[in-house]
Amino acid sequence: MRQTVACDKLAKFPILNPVQSMLQNSTAPEPVDSCDGISYRAVKIGFRSRLIVQLMRIFFKPLLGRMAKASPEKIARTQVRIAAMRWPSIEGKPIRYDLVARSPGHLIGEFAPGQRPVILWLHGGAFFLPAAPGAHLAMVATLCRELGCDAFLPDYRLSPINPFPAALNDCEEAYKLLLDQGYSGTEIILGGDSAGGNLLLGLLQRIRKQSLPMPACAIPVSPVTELGRAHNPPSRYGVQKRDPLLPLAAFQNIVSDYVDGADSADPEISPLYMDCEGMPPMFFLASSNEVLMDDTLMLARRMLQAGIPTDCHIWPTLPHAFPLFEVYFPEASLAREDIQRFIRKHVSARL
């Protein structure tokens, strides 16, 4: 059953979760349509998942804050520890780390242009953490298994040693690599979470600027789209105490290390200000319980206003980039299924 949230009701909650009280009591996994084209997913979040959210707020959020403020030497040790974590084993989709042309990264499956589509996934990690095997590799490999496609996760250079534009340059090179391998744009699915969602939106601008083939579709998950202001958009301060994962107090450190004196209003750094014309179909995902909710909402609305085919789902309760944490939050499997449906819709000739 679908329910419509009226504009006047949404207007009463411009900052906080606009439908939280209703969502918490709902058992239907159907989206709730709002007046602006944004869908608020009416998903009941179980007790176990709510408990894990609370534990993340108590233990992991302060840890991430300390990591962001650490010295470059300590950050480097953290990078090595994360990269050394156990890799997932997804049946039928082997994962290996390799150097393809000049682009290092994780390959899932094998390149097969003309036979199977490929996902280019730009991992998150606040611009200073590498791909997490149990999160990024596991989620993308599961998508590949379900969709029958392959994937490449470029191991882009990380801050603070390599600030902007190093990471974006590496992502651009990875996209061109897929084209050089023989993939058409219609065979490429572009995805990214958090900082990777930021890089995804910067990459799309470069693809357009160079008149390269656009990907079939793009999936920004909890992207950070405004790096010039720690205090805005409004969800930054509206849900900062509730957010179970992102420590807003560390935001300025993360941004300073990544931007390193560049103009933070540059749309390649703050895609919220990008020209949205000519973008591929977009599927935004975020949680109403994260400080980056408005980073997603505001850019999704701009895409819609520009006439770009855009879906935007806002979920209740779960943390930032929650589709990565399906092992902890079984409800997130519904988000993965939404992603799969979106991909099949736009790459239907191959899936």
Side-chain angles (χ1 to χ4, degrees), residues 15-292:
I15 297 172
L16 302 180
N17 178 0
V19 287
Q20 185 175 9
S21 60
M22 180 181 67
L23 293 179
Q24 287 178 341
N25 296 320
S26 175
T27 58
E30 290 297 316
V32 175
D33 292 342
S34 80
C35 57
D36 56 4
I38 309 298
S39 296
Y40 297 91
R41 288 302 305 261
V43 179
K44 182 176 181 179
I45 307 301
F47 174 79
R48 175 181 178 273
S49 294
R50 291 177 181 276
L51 178 60
I52 293 174
V53 165
Q54 294 297 330
L55 293 174
M56 291 178 79
R57 184 180 294 113
I58 294 170
F59 296 106
F60 193 79
K61 184 176 181 177
L63 175 62
L64 185 58
R66 290 193 296 271
M67 290 165 56
K69 297 176 182 179
S71 66
E73 293 77 15
K74 289 183 178 180
I75 288 175
R77 288 198 292 270
T78 300
Q79 292 168 346
V80 171
R81 284 197 297 269
I82 292 175
M85 289 178 176
R86 184 177 179 179
W87 290 12
S89 177
I90 305 296
E91 184 178 358
K93 286 298 173 183
I95 302 172
R96 72 181 191 276
Y97 186 92
D98 206 348
L99 182 68
V100 184
R102 293 180 55 194
S103 292
H106 293 91
L107 282 163
I108 300 174
E110 301 289 343
F111 286 150
Q115 301 178 42
R116 294 187 301 275
V118 65
I119 298 173
L120 179 64
W121 193 273
L122 311 180
H123 70 82
F127 301 106
F128 73 92
L129 297 175
H136 300 102
L137 299 186
M139 188 202 71
V140 178
T142 301
L143 282 175
C144 289
R145 182 192 63 195
E146 298 295 326
L147 292 168
C149 61
D150 304 313
F152 182 50
L153 288 81
D155 188 15
Y156 59 79
R157 286 169 291 174
L158 302 170
S159 67
I161 302 302
N162 296 288
F164 176 85
L168 186 54
N169 289 345
D170 292 347
C171 294
E172 178 187 350
E173 186 166 21
Y175 189 81
K176 291 179 177 177
L177 162 69
L178 296 182
L179 296 176
D180 292 343
Q181 289 286 319
Y183 288 100
S184 65
T186 57
E187 295 177 300
I188 301 174
I189 301 145
L190 184 58
D193 61 279
S194 191
N198 175 286
L199 295 170
L200 175 156
L201 295 160
L203 174 57
L204 287 175
Q205 295 174 72
R206 291 194 174 186
I207 291 170
R208 180 182 57 196
K209 183 177 181 179
Q210 298 174 52
S211 299
L212 298 174
M214 276 287 175
C217 57
I219 306 159
V221 176
S222 295
V224 54
T225 67
E226 219 290 1
L227 292 181
R229 299 163 179 81
H231 59 285
N232 267 320
S235 62
R236 299 275 177 89
Y237 54 82
V239 299
Q240 62 173 316
K241 293 182 179 180
R242 249 188 11 245
D243 188 313
L245 188 61
L246 297 180
L248 191 60
F251 189 84
Q252 197 57 49
N253 296 74
I254 294 169
V255 173
S256 295
D257 285 345
Y258 176 66
V259 174
D260 193 37
D263 180 4
S264 60
D266 183 335
E268 288 191 354
I269 295 175
S270 292
L272 181 61
Y273 310 114
M274 67 186 283
D275 176 5
C276 298
E277 296 294 331
M279 293 294 106
M282 309 286 292
F283 182 26
F284 290 87
L285 275 163
S287 170
S288 63
N289 212 24
E290 63 172 302
V291 294
L292 297 183

Side-chain angles (χ1 to χ4, degrees), residues 306-324:
I308 305 303
T310 301
D311 293 333
C312 179
H313 289 187
I314 304 297
W315 278 57
T317 307
L318 298 183
H320 170 73
F322 63 88
L324 299 175

